[in-house]
């Protein structure tokens, strides 16, 4: 029963966001929140500061902070991939088609 209600909510929410023309922005923001949190968590595990990561990437602390900013969706895939690689991980992007 809960699954049915959740599916209906997700469908109606998605339809509404598409009608309003903001679905892509909302989805990008959600993805960036997840990516930023995962990268920040990885930095914590490695006991790595923003300054140390910036130095290893050959960039500024401000640039690293943009990568870690969950609201900044204007980053390139190259920037995200390079940052992840320096942290010993990678970004996996998947295109999913509707059923």
């Amino acid at each position: 029963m809960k699954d049915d209600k959740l599916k209906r909510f997700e469908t109606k929410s998605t339809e509404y966001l598409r009608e309003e023309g903001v679905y892509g922005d909302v989805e990008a923001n959600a993805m960036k929140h997840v990516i930023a949190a995962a990268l920040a968590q990885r930095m914590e595990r490695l006991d790595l500061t923003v300054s140390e990561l910036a130095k290893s990437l050959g960039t500024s602390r401000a640039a690293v902070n943009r990568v870690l900013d969950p609201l900044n969706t204007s980053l390139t895939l190259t920037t995200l991939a390079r940052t992840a690689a320096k942290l010993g991980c990678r970004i996996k992007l998947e295109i999913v088609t509707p059923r």
Side-chain angles (χ1 to χ4, degrees):
M1 192 73 146
K2 280 187 176 183
D3 288 341
D4 289 340
K5 285 183 179 180
L6 181 60
K7 282 185 180 182
R8 282 196 307 269
F9 173 77
E10 288 175 354
T11 301
K12 288 184 182 229
S13 298
T14 300
E15 288 172 5
Y16 175 76
L17 293 172
R18 287 181 198 270
E19 287 171 7
E20 294 296 312
V22 296
Y23 179 79
D25 293 336
V26 171
E27 190 171 42
N29 282 322
M31 286 188 284
K32 182 57 191 315
H33 273 79
V34 171
I35 291 168
L39 293 175
Q41 186 178 47
R42 182 70 178 157
M43 285 177 64
E44 282 183 33
R45 279 196 199 125
L46 297 173
D47 197 28
L48 198 62
T49 67
V50 171
S51 296
E52 292 167 336
L53 180 57
K55 186 175 181 179
S56 72
L57 286 167
T59 191
S60 67
R61 287 183 329 193
V64 171
N65 282 327
R66 284 191 294 274
V67 172
L68 299 174
D69 180 356
L71 301 177
N72 186 340
T73 59
S74 64
L75 301 170
T76 66
L77 293 174
T78 301
T79 299
L80 289 173
R82 281 186 63 232
T83 304
K86 280 292 181 189
L87 294 172
C89 54
R90 63 187 178 98
I91 302 289
K92 182 178 177 182
L93 181 65
E94 181 178 9
I95 305 295
V96 180
T97 56
R99 295 180 192 187

